[in-house]
Amino acid sequence: MTGPDNSQVVAEFRANGGRLGGPLAGTPVLLLHHVGARTGTRRVTPLVYSCHAGDRVVIVASNGGQPSDPAWLHNLRTHPDAAVEIGTDVVAVHATEAGGVERDELWQQVVARYPDVGRFGSRTDRPIPLVILRRIPAPTAAAFA
C-alpha cells in the first residue's frame, strides 16, 4: 500500500482499532514506523503482514511488482530498529531480511495466503524481499509513538 491516500488508511486504522474496511476488510494490516535512510524523517506506512511460527511477523517488499524495492525497505536496511502498530498495540521490532531456505519457505507460505503477492512476483525480475520483524525491548517503541 503506497500512495497519497496512506494518511486516510492510517486514520481509518487508528479510528477502528486496527481494522480497515473496503477492499482491505479482514486483511491483516500493520502500521510500520520507520526512519528515512537519508532524511531521518519519521514515516508511517500501512502494510499487509503475515504471522509465522516463532512470533515472526513477515512483511513483503513487493512494491506492487515494480522493478525497484519500496522506500520503506531501504529505510529498514539503514535503520532496522522500528516499531509497528498492530491493532491497538505499538511494538518495538528489529527488521531482518529472510534469505536462503528460510526465504523460500516463507515465500511459499505467504503466496499461499496472499496470491496477489505471487502475481506481484511475476511482474518483476527482482527477487521480492521478505522482511521478518521480531519484537525487541519496548523503549524503542516509545520513540515512534
Side-chain angles (χ1 to χ4, degrees):
M1 281 181 269
T2 60
D5 60 346
N6 274 353
S7 62
Q8 293 172 348
V9 173
V10 169
E12 180 183 353
F13 180 99
R14 289 177 173 156
N16 296 303
R19 291 180 306 280
L20 298 174
L24 292 172
T27 303
V29 173
L30 60 75
L31 300 182
L32 174 66
H33 294 246
H34 52 105
V35 176
R38 287 182 298 245
T39 65
T41 302
R42 294 179 188 269
R43 303 187 185 283
V44 178
T45 303
L47 297 167
V48 172
Y49 72 95
S50 182
C51 291
H52 295 267
D55 292 336
R56 295 178 298 172
V57 171
V58 176
I59 53 178
V60 180
S62 67
N63 203 16
Q66 297 299 310
S68 61
D69 292 331
W72 62 260
L73 179 61
H74 180 64
N75 293 343
L76 287 180
R77 286 174 174 154
T78 303
H79 303 289
D81 289 343
V84 294
E85 291 179 58
I86 298 178
T88 58
D89 295 328
V90 177
V91 179
V93 296
H94 182 80
T96 56
E97 285 184 59
V101 172
E102 180 182 39
R103 187 218 174 264
D104 295 343
E105 290 173 356
L106 286 172
W107 178 258
Q108 291 176 5
Q109 294 170 21
V110 169
V111 169
R113 289 180 193 166
Y114 305 106
D116 282 343
V117 171
R119 287 189 281 281
F120 294 151
S122 67
R123 292 182 192 165
T124 183
D125 292 332
R126 71 181 171 90
I128 293 181
L130 300 179
V131 178
I132 301 169
L133 304 175
R134 290 189 172 90
R135 184 184 291 260
I136 59 174
T140 302
F144 289 94

